[in-house]
Amino acid sequence: MADIIKLLPDHVANQIAAGEVVQRPASVVKELLENAIDAQSSSIKLIVKDGGKSLIQVVDDGMGMSTTDARLSFERHATSKIKRAEDLFNLHTKGFRGEALASIAAIAHVEMQTRSEGEEVGTRLKIEGSEVVSQEVCVTPKGTSLSVKNLFFNIPARRNFLKSNQVELRHITDEFHRVALAHPNIMFHFYNNGSELFNLPKSTYRQRIVHIFGTRANAKLVPVEEETNVVKIQGFIHKPEFAKKSRGEQFFFINHRFIKSPYLHHAVVSAFEGLIKTDTYPGYFLYLEVDPSSIDINIHPTKTEVKFDDEHTLYAILKSTIKHSLGQFNIIPALDFEHDQNLDTPYTYKNKEAKQPQVTVDAGFNPFLDAPRKPSPATRGNISARKTQGEWESMYVGLDQPMGDNTSFSSVHLESDTITGSVFEGKVEVGHSVATTFQLRRKYIVASIKSGMVVIDQNRAHQRVLYEKLLKNATVKQSVSQQLLFPLTLSFTKSDRAILDEIRTNLTHIGFIFETLDDESLKITGVPILIPENEVGMVLDQLISDYRQEIIGESFSQADILSKTLARSLAVKTGEILDSDSQLALVNDLFACKESRISPFNRPIYIMLTEQDIEKKFI
């Protein structure tokens, strides 16, 4: 039998390995920024074009590299961070695997200019698809400038899977935030298509958070600080009233490295128990410092997953520290069990004087008098006219007659045959005057139909109704906007503002009218008639979060995303009580929709129980 196992060529192996390290342009940004930080830079510039597809350039003023090091840095498993296997448990640098530059050079056009402090001239190196095109002497400032162009130029399939420029830019911005928040002692500049997005000077942790997320973030922060033999914790948490229904501002840093830890996240959420709703998430920026030998970072090439030696102790310390901060800064309301609120004077009566109560007596009142009496002059002004005896007795005429077997029930309409609807080809049709609907456990609406009954999820049904209305308004561009008597002024971060500017046209079609005040503020003068004025800020925050996280993966347009998000935010929630008229209106609106069976998020809206199904339960 012939030998069939072959050793892959280096360029093929590099492309395969690059798939683990470089998933999208944001992965390149992360690796290059971390290399710049490891080079002990004091100022770093990030330049991006076309969402990182055309150009990603990182310029730093760090140590730089010699000619030999510049060439060797693009070889796989070549690194200056570690020398032995034991060094993996004593890491003080961002990178250590020696795979980043080799993986990037395998799938892009890379140009590097670098010069160390002791050299008069630097080195320019060009690599295309792991092949060195040129290496020459050049004049360049101290430090390193590395440009990555035409990402995935030799892997068309991977390039086709990239999202739009706006989506890729948001991922790059998220990576930039994670690196910049972990290192406030470094100056960062971020440019996109020639315009400056961020200019972050050297600052403290709190100032760096405010520079990135806007001035309104300062009022949300509660400081957290604790130091033990196991861990040193510092940072900030958001006040409970600023908890959001979506994740977005949750950051964990271990030894100045961003990580993702559901276990530690649960510790933070449990510390907020009783202060926030169950379906909301608190924001936090927590910096933990532990012994490098007690954690293992070498789990995944992205280095965002970490294993701890004693995670249970870390969980308990983190939870108690956050609870202590919430209590120390009077975030948790104080309870006085000795105080009786029933003895408090109502606010409206606090400054009023006490008055002597007066008792009036009707001297002409006689309980044994059958004939209607006239009120006395003393009480004539306070007693309203009463109905005569004949008026109320006429309501009970005929009640003393026995009801026979032939009594007609034609006047009693328990369920009209002409309005209960019918079932045809799997679609439920309910008329405009269904008499038998009721709410079950404040979640379902039960309505009778001709063949049995239908049980409807009120939240999903309302989502479907609102979704089709909003999508129609956004499509035909004939929405009705409610003008505000007093315009609302809302503040957003730069990244949030970029999303609003991107979807501004569709927001206008739905009914939002707003204008720009400055880099962080918007003045909203009109909102859709379906949105209450006090919920505008919450709806826009949810809309931005959904659009950023691409929760609606099957959407085909911005209008569809906006309609689904707004429908979910505005729909009647589980637990809300609906009167009979509201129940009936919701049922009729649902079955007037083009698609009444599933919600905008592909969930079933109702189930049908026919008369035969019910009879089977009694067999």
PDB file of all heavy atoms in Angstrom, residues 496-518:
ATOM      1  N   ASP A 496     -22.235  54.733  20.205  1.00  0.00           N
ATOM      2  CA  ASP A 496     -23.701  54.719  20.099  1.00  0.00           C
ATOM      3  C   ASP A 496     -24.188  55.757  19.098  1.00  0.00           C
ATOM      4  O   ASP A 496     -25.132  55.513  18.339  1.00  0.00           O
ATOM      5  CB  ASP A 496     -24.339  54.961  21.463  1.00  0.00           C
ATOM      6  CG  ASP A 496     -24.113  53.823  22.428  1.00  0.00           C
ATOM      7  OD1 ASP A 496     -23.694  52.749  21.973  1.00  0.00           O
ATOM      8  OD2 ASP A 496     -24.339  53.995  23.644  1.00  0.00           O
ATOM      9  N   ARG A 497     -23.540  56.922  19.113  1.00  0.00           N
ATOM     10  CA  ARG A 497     -23.908  57.959  18.151  1.00  0.00           C
ATOM     11  C   ARG A 497     -23.656  57.483  16.730  1.00  0.00           C
ATOM     12  O   ARG A 497     -24.430  57.797  15.810  1.00  0.00           O
ATOM     13  CB  ARG A 497     -23.102  59.230  18.430  1.00  0.00           C
ATOM     14  CG  ARG A 497     -23.669  60.105  19.537  1.00  0.00           C
ATOM     15  CD  ARG A 497     -24.966  60.770  19.094  1.00  0.00           C
ATOM     16  NE  ARG A 497     -24.783  61.363  17.790  1.00  0.00           N
ATOM     17  CZ  ARG A 497     -24.247  62.571  17.602  1.00  0.00           C
ATOM     18  NH1 ARG A 497     -23.846  63.283  18.633  1.00  0.00           N
ATOM     19  NH2 ARG A 497     -24.126  63.062  16.382  1.00  0.00           N
ATOM     20  N   ALA A 498     -22.580  56.744  16.517  1.00  0.00           N
ATOM     21  CA  ALA A 498     -22.283  56.236  15.173  1.00  0.00           C
ATOM     22  C   ALA A 498     -23.380  55.299  14.696  1.00  0.00           C
ATOM     23  O   ALA A 498     -23.774  55.324  13.516  1.00  0.00           O
ATOM     24  CB  ALA A 498     -20.932  55.535  15.170  1.00  0.00           C
ATOM     25  N   ILE A 499     -23.912  54.469  15.615  1.00  0.00           N
ATOM     26  CA  ILE A 499     -24.999  53.560  15.237  1.00  0.00           C
ATOM     27  C   ILE A 499     -26.262  54.345  14.905  1.00  0.00           C
ATOM     28  O   ILE A 499     -26.960  54.060  13.922  1.00  0.00           O
ATOM     29  CB  ILE A 499     -25.250  52.552  16.367  1.00  0.00           C
ATOM     30  CG1 ILE A 499     -24.041  51.628  16.531  1.00  0.00           C
ATOM     31  CG2 ILE A 499     -26.508  51.729  16.095  1.00  0.00           C
ATOM     32  CD1 ILE A 499     -24.174  50.645  17.665  1.00  0.00           C
ATOM     33  N   LEU A 500     -26.582  55.357  15.715  1.00  0.00           N
ATOM     34  CA  LEU A 500     -27.779  56.165  15.453  1.00  0.00           C
ATOM     35  C   LEU A 500     -27.659  56.900  14.120  1.00  0.00           C
ATOM     36  O   LEU A 500     -28.651  57.023  13.385  1.00  0.00           O
ATOM     37  CB  LEU A 500     -28.003  57.148  16.596  1.00  0.00           C
ATOM     38  CG  LEU A 500     -28.435  56.546  17.939  1.00  0.00           C
ATOM     39  CD1 LEU A 500     -28.538  57.626  19.000  1.00  0.00           C
ATOM     40  CD2 LEU A 500     -29.776  55.826  17.804  1.00  0.00           C
ATOM     41  N   ASP A 501     -26.470  57.413  13.816  1.00  0.00           N
ATOM     42  CA  ASP A 501     -26.284  58.082  12.528  1.00  0.00           C
ATOM     43  C   ASP A 501     -26.427  57.102  11.366  1.00  0.00           C
ATOM     44  O   ASP A 501     -26.928  57.462  10.296  1.00  0.00           O
ATOM     45  CB  ASP A 501     -24.906  58.747  12.482  1.00  0.00           C
ATOM     46  CG  ASP A 501     -24.799  59.917  13.449  1.00  0.00           C
ATOM     47  OD1 ASP A 501     -25.846  60.447  13.845  1.00  0.00           O
ATOM     48  OD2 ASP A 501     -23.664  60.284  13.827  1.00  0.00           O
ATOM     49  N   GLU A 502     -26.015  55.870  11.600  1.00  0.00           N
ATOM     50  CA  GLU A 502     -26.100  54.855  10.546  1.00  0.00           C
ATOM     51  C   GLU A 502     -27.543  54.488  10.226  1.00  0.00           C
ATOM     52  O   GLU A 502     -27.892  54.248   9.066  1.00  0.00           O
ATOM     53  CB  GLU A 502     -25.320  53.614  10.980  1.00  0.00           C
ATOM     54  CG  GLU A 502     -25.306  52.494   9.968  1.00  0.00           C
ATOM     55  CD  GLU A 502     -24.559  51.280  10.489  1.00  0.00           C
ATOM     56  OE1 GLU A 502     -23.804  51.428  11.469  1.00  0.00           O
ATOM     57  OE2 GLU A 502     -24.729  50.194   9.904  1.00  0.00           O
ATOM     58  N   ILE A 503     -28.386  54.457  11.237  1.00  0.00           N
ATOM     59  CA  ILE A 503     -29.785  54.041  11.032  1.00  0.00           C
ATOM     60  C   ILE A 503     -30.733  55.228  11.114  1.00  0.00           C
ATOM     61  O   ILE A 503     -31.942  55.050  11.274  1.00  0.00           O
ATOM     62  CB  ILE A 503     -30.180  52.980  12.084  1.00  0.00           C
ATOM     63  CG1 ILE A 503     -30.052  53.544  13.505  1.00  0.00           C
ATOM     64  CG2 ILE A 503     -29.328  51.737  11.936  1.00  0.00           C
ATOM     65  CD1 ILE A 503     -30.466  52.567  14.584  1.00  0.00           C
ATOM     66  N   ARG A 504     -30.212  56.409  10.975  1.00  0.00           N
ATOM     67  CA  ARG A 504     -31.037  57.608  11.154  1.00  0.00           C
ATOM     68  C   ARG A 504     -32.175  57.675  10.140  1.00  0.00           C
ATOM     69  O   ARG A 504     -33.297  58.055  10.469  1.00  0.00           O
ATOM     70  CB  ARG A 504     -30.157  58.857  11.040  1.00  0.00           C
ATOM     71  CG  ARG A 504     -30.911  60.157  11.272  1.00  0.00           C
ATOM     72  CD  ARG A 504     -29.973  61.326  11.466  1.00  0.00           C
ATOM     73  NE  ARG A 504     -30.688  62.524  11.872  1.00  0.00           N
ATOM     74  CZ  ARG A 504     -30.095  63.597  12.358  1.00  0.00           C
ATOM     75  NH1 ARG A 504     -28.783  63.618  12.507  1.00  0.00           N
ATOM     76  NH2 ARG A 504     -30.808  64.651  12.714  1.00  0.00           N
ATOM     77  N   THR A 505     -31.904  57.298   8.896  1.00  0.00           N
ATOM     78  CA  THR A 505     -32.943  57.365   7.861  1.00  0.00           C
ATOM     79  C   THR A 505     -34.132  56.489   8.212  1.00  0.00           C
ATOM     80  O   THR A 505     -35.295  56.923   8.127  1.00  0.00           O
ATOM     81  CB  THR A 505     -32.359  56.947   6.505  1.00  0.00           C
ATOM     82  OG1 THR A 505     -31.255  57.809   6.180  1.00  0.00           O
ATOM     83  CG2 THR A 505     -33.416  57.045   5.418  1.00  0.00           C
ATOM     84  N   ASN A 506     -33.876  55.259   8.639  1.00  0.00           N
ATOM     85  CA  ASN A 506     -34.978  54.365   8.999  1.00  0.00           C
ATOM     86  C   ASN A 506     -35.664  54.800  10.280  1.00  0.00           C
ATOM     87  O   ASN A 506     -36.871  54.598  10.435  1.00  0.00           O
ATOM     88  CB  ASN A 506     -34.450  52.936   9.150  1.00  0.00           C
ATOM     89  CG  ASN A 506     -34.122  52.292   7.806  1.00  0.00           C
ATOM     90  OD1 ASN A 506     -34.989  52.124   6.967  1.00  0.00           O
ATOM     91  ND2 ASN A 506     -32.863  51.951   7.602  1.00  0.00           N
ATOM     92  N   LEU A 507     -34.921  55.382  11.212  1.00  0.00           N
ATOM     93  CA  LEU A 507     -35.565  55.922  12.416  1.00  0.00           C
ATOM     94  C   LEU A 507     -36.537  57.040  12.053  1.00  0.00           C
ATOM     95  O   LEU A 507     -37.618  57.149  12.631  1.00  0.00           O
ATOM     96  CB  LEU A 507     -34.504  56.443  13.393  1.00  0.00           C
ATOM     97  CG  LEU A 507     -33.698  55.409  14.169  1.00  0.00           C
ATOM     98  CD1 LEU A 507     -32.626  56.097  15.013  1.00  0.00           C
ATOM     99  CD2 LEU A 507     -34.597  54.575  15.074  1.00  0.00           C
ATOM    100  N   THR A 508     -36.168  57.860  11.089  1.00  0.00           N
ATOM    101  CA  THR A 508     -37.060  58.932  10.647  1.00  0.00           C
ATOM    102  C   THR A 508     -38.308  58.371   9.989  1.00  0.00           C
ATOM    103  O   THR A 508     -39.415  58.883  10.197  1.00  0.00           O
ATOM    104  CB  THR A 508     -36.309  59.856   9.678  1.00  0.00           C
ATOM    105  OG1 THR A 508     -35.125  60.348  10.316  1.00  0.00           O
ATOM    106  CG2 THR A 508     -37.184  61.038   9.278  1.00  0.00           C
ATOM    107  N   HIS A 509     -38.160  57.296   9.220  1.00  0.00           N
ATOM    108  CA  HIS A 509     -39.320  56.693   8.562  1.00  0.00           C
ATOM    109  C   HIS A 509     -40.284  56.110   9.591  1.00  0.00           C
ATOM    110  O   HIS A 509     -41.503  56.106   9.371  1.00  0.00           O
ATOM    111  CB  HIS A 509     -38.866  55.599   7.594  1.00  0.00           C
ATOM    112  CG  HIS A 509     -38.083  56.146   6.444  1.00  0.00           C
ATOM    113  ND1 HIS A 509     -37.269  55.362   5.655  1.00  0.00           N
ATOM    114  CD2 HIS A 509     -37.963  57.407   5.957  1.00  0.00           C
ATOM    115  CE1 HIS A 509     -36.706  56.124   4.724  1.00  0.00           C
ATOM    116  NE2 HIS A 509     -37.107  57.349   4.889  1.00  0.00           N
ATOM    117  N   ILE A 510     -39.749  55.617  10.712  1.00  0.00           N
ATOM    118  CA  ILE A 510     -40.613  55.035  11.736  1.00  0.00           C
ATOM    119  C   ILE A 510     -41.332  56.118  12.534  1.00  0.00           C
ATOM    120  O   ILE A 510     -42.451  55.908  13.007  1.00  0.00           O
ATOM    121  CB  ILE A 510     -39.783  54.132  12.665  1.00  0.00           C
ATOM    122  CG1 ILE A 510     -39.360  52.870  11.912  1.00  0.00           C
ATOM    123  CG2 ILE A 510     -40.552  53.736  13.913  1.00  0.00           C
ATOM    124  CD1 ILE A 510     -38.511  51.926  12.724  1.00  0.00           C
ATOM    125  N   GLY A 511     -40.716  57.292  12.679  1.00  0.00           N
ATOM    126  CA  GLY A 511     -41.391  58.366  13.403  1.00  0.00           C
ATOM    127  C   GLY A 511     -40.508  59.167  14.328  1.00  0.00           C
ATOM    128  O   GLY A 511     -40.985  60.120  14.952  1.00  0.00           O
ATOM    129  N   PHE A 512     -39.213  58.839  14.433  1.00  0.00           N
ATOM    130  CA  PHE A 512     -38.315  59.606  15.280  1.00  0.00           C
ATOM    131  C   PHE A 512     -37.852  60.866  14.540  1.00  0.00           C
ATOM    132  O   PHE A 512     -37.487  60.815  13.366  1.00  0.00           O
ATOM    133  CB  PHE A 512     -37.085  58.777  15.665  1.00  0.00           C
ATOM    134  CG  PHE A 512     -37.357  57.764  16.738  1.00  0.00           C
ATOM    135  CD1 PHE A 512     -37.580  56.439  16.416  1.00  0.00           C
ATOM    136  CD2 PHE A 512     -37.389  58.134  18.078  1.00  0.00           C
ATOM    137  CE1 PHE A 512     -37.822  55.495  17.399  1.00  0.00           C
ATOM    138  CE2 PHE A 512     -37.634  57.204  19.071  1.00  0.00           C
ATOM    139  CZ  PHE A 512     -37.850  55.890  18.732  1.00  0.00           C
ATOM    140  N   ILE A 513     -37.853  61.975  15.245  1.00  0.00           N
ATOM    141  CA  ILE A 513     -37.331  63.237  14.714  1.00  0.00           C
ATOM    142  C   ILE A 513     -36.343  63.778  15.744  1.00  0.00           C
ATOM    143  O   ILE A 513     -36.713  64.050  16.890  1.00  0.00           O
ATOM    144  CB  ILE A 513     -38.454  64.260  14.455  1.00  0.00           C
ATOM    145  CG1 ILE A 513     -39.469  63.697  13.448  1.00  0.00           C
ATOM    146  CG2 ILE A 513     -37.873  65.568  13.949  1.00  0.00           C
ATOM    147  CD1 ILE A 513     -40.652  64.617  13.210  1.00  0.00           C
ATOM    148  N   PHE A 514     -35.077  63.913  15.362  1.00  0.00           N
ATOM    149  CA  PHE A 514     -34.079  64.413  16.303  1.00  0.00           C
ATOM    150  C   PHE A 514     -33.010  65.178  15.546  1.00  0.00           C
ATOM    151  O   PHE A 514     -32.855  65.045  14.323  1.00  0.00           O
ATOM    152  CB  PHE A 514     -33.455  63.269  17.108  1.00  0.00           C
ATOM    153  CG  PHE A 514     -32.832  62.184  16.289  1.00  0.00           C
ATOM    154  CD1 PHE A 514     -31.515  62.245  15.877  1.00  0.00           C
ATOM    155  CD2 PHE A 514     -33.580  61.078  15.904  1.00  0.00           C
ATOM    156  CE1 PHE A 514     -30.943  61.238  15.125  1.00  0.00           C
ATOM    157  CE2 PHE A 514     -33.028  60.067  15.145  1.00  0.00           C
ATOM    158  CZ  PHE A 514     -31.701  60.157  14.747  1.00  0.00           C
ATOM    159  N   GLU A 515     -32.282  65.980  16.286  1.00  0.00           N
ATOM    160  CA  GLU A 515     -31.200  66.772  15.721  1.00  0.00           C
ATOM    161  C   GLU A 515     -29.996  66.700  16.643  1.00  0.00           C
ATOM    162  O   GLU A 515     -30.125  66.414  17.833  1.00  0.00           O
ATOM    163  CB  GLU A 515     -31.626  68.216  15.513  1.00  0.00           C
ATOM    164  CG  GLU A 515     -32.062  68.927  16.776  1.00  0.00           C
ATOM    165  CD  GLU A 515     -32.609  70.316  16.505  1.00  0.00           C
ATOM    166  OE1 GLU A 515     -33.465  70.452  15.598  1.00  0.00           O
ATOM    167  OE2 GLU A 515     -32.174  71.240  17.202  1.00  0.00           O
ATOM    168  N   THR A 516     -28.818  66.953  16.099  1.00  0.00           N
ATOM    169  CA  THR A 516     -27.568  66.833  16.840  1.00  0.00           C
ATOM    170  C   THR A 516     -27.267  68.128  17.568  1.00  0.00           C
ATOM    171  O   THR A 516     -27.345  69.215  16.980  1.00  0.00           O
ATOM    172  CB  THR A 516     -26.416  66.488  15.880  1.00  0.00           C
ATOM    173  OG1 THR A 516     -26.743  65.274  15.188  1.00  0.00           O
ATOM    174  CG2 THR A 516     -25.122  66.300  16.649  1.00  0.00           C
ATOM    175  N   LEU A 517     -26.920  67.989  18.849  1.00  0.00           N
ATOM    176  CA  LEU A 517     -26.503  69.149  19.640  1.00  0.00           C
ATOM    177  C   LEU A 517     -24.982  69.237  19.712  1.00  0.00           C
ATOM    178  O   LEU A 517     -24.404  70.288  19.475  1.00  0.00           O
ATOM    179  CB  LEU A 517     -27.102  69.082  21.050  1.00  0.00           C
ATOM    180  CG  LEU A 517     -28.625  69.195  21.146  1.00  0.00           C
ATOM    181  CD1 LEU A 517     -29.073  69.105  22.601  1.00  0.00           C
ATOM    182  CD2 LEU A 517     -29.096  70.517  20.541  1.00  0.00           C
ATOM    183  N   ASP A 518     -24.333  68.122  20.073  1.00  0.00           N
ATOM    184  CA  ASP A 518     -22.875  68.069  20.120  1.00  0.00           C
ATOM    185  C   ASP A 518     -22.455  66.628  19.888  1.00  0.00           C
ATOM    186  O   ASP A 518     -23.239  65.806  19.402  1.00  0.00           O
ATOM    187  CB  ASP A 518     -22.332  68.625  21.444  1.00  0.00           C
ATOM    188  CG  ASP A 518     -22.992  67.998  22.660  1.00  0.00           C
ATOM    189  OD1 ASP A 518     -23.226  66.765  22.631  1.00  0.00           O
ATOM    190  OD2 ASP A 518     -23.277  68.709  23.632  1.00  0.00           O
TER     191      ASP A 518
END
